[in-house]
Amino acid sequence: MEAETNETERREMGIVVLGAVFVDIKGYPLSTYIPGGRNAGRIEQVHGGVSRNVVEDIANVELRPTFVGLVDDTGMGQDVIDKLDNHKVNTRYIQKVPDGMGTWLAIFDNDGDKTAAKFSDIAKRPDTTPLTGLLQEQGDAIFADCDSIALELDLEKETVKQTLRYAKKYGKKVFAVVSNMSIAMERRDYLQQIDCFVCNQQEAGLLFSDDYEHLAPSQMAQVLARNVHSAN
């Protein structure tokens, strides 16, 4: 019976995802967007954050992931937990703390394109330092039997270091994602300790100080392979 219980807990851990939760506030004009002017429109608030989005997507393909993160000690924070629960995400390691969630604000044009409002994109990052204490207390329980780890690379440095230590201790593959590329670029040494860095075309260009806009995917795969190898 004990062995059966342990196997059930292992399956419930699945892929462990660590990262920040944001509330995304998006504004859409009802008529022609006027930069610098006053625009009537509609405003949406949705749960966001790169890692929160990732764990929901993993749950949508029925892999039963575990989310390790923070939310505000408010009704909005509980809403985030409830929605992830509904998607069959293991939320037992989500902590409620003051200032646990960030806010991302953007204004879109009539085509749903944010580039027309490039000066109206503002992000308030949350304080994720409580994750360090959580990992100190429960890191072994979180990582020992998980399938793999998805880590937001721009969390607090100590949180990233702890996660990589546990990954090495238990032989787990680490897949890194990023929300703030400028922070990730300061942590190139961490990239040598992960198995895969998931980024978009623009982020890859920033990482290697190159422009990949003109390359087809097959060409970019070859160029990136060479750049990754030369950068060790």
Side-chain angles (χ1 to χ4, degrees), residues 188-189 191-193 208 225-232:
R188 294 174 183 269
D189 55 327
L191 293 178
Q192 296 176 334
Q193 303 177 56
F208 293 114
R226 290 195 297 268
N227 288 348
V228 168
H229 184 265
S230 63
N232 196 30

Side-chain angles (χ1 to χ4, degrees), residues 19-167:
V21 174
F22 279 72
V23 175
D24 294 347
I25 302 173
K26 304 176 181 181
Y28 299 90
L30 293 177
S31 57
T32 302
Y33 175 73
I34 305 173
R38 180 171 296 178
N39 296 270
R42 60 186 174 86
I43 295 175
E44 296 180 359
Q45 290 193 52
V46 296
H47 302 161
V50 171
S51 295
R52 195 222 63 87
N53 295 344
V54 166
V55 81
E56 184 176 306
D57 288 340
I58 293 173
N60 285 340
V61 292
E62 301 183 1
L63 291 180
R64 300 295 180 93
T66 294
F67 188 60
V68 180
L70 308 171
V71 295
D72 287 348
D73 52 352
T74 62
M76 178 67 81
Q78 186 60 49
D79 286 345
V80 171
I81 295 174
D82 291 344
K83 183 179 181 184
L84 292 178
D85 278 333
N86 289 336
H87 282 268
K88 302 296 192 294
V89 174
N90 179 358
T91 60
R92 75 181 70 171
Y93 297 108
I94 297 179
Q95 291 190 335
K96 292 182 179 181
V97 297
D99 194 30
M101 301 190 303
T103 308
W104 180 75
L105 169 66
I107 299 175
F108 293 78
D109 66 9
N110 302 89
D111 298 319
D113 187 353
K114 185 167 63 70
T115 57
K118 59 185 178 181
F119 299 113
S120 300
D121 185 334
I122 300 173
K124 171 188 172 291
R125 293 181 61 80
D127 177 12
T128 60
T129 51
L131 286 178
T132 301
L134 174 63
L135 294 187
Q136 287 174 343
E137 295 173 4
Q138 304 191 61
D140 290 296
I142 292 171
F143 297 111
D145 294 318
C146 72
D147 295 329
S148 57
I149 302 167
L151 170 67
E152 195 168 318
L153 200 62
D154 39 320
L155 292 173
E156 297 293 333
K157 275 190 174 183
E158 188 54 38
T159 302
V160 176
K161 289 179 181 178
Q162 284 179 311
T163 302
L164 293 176
R165 284 197 294 267
Y166 280 113

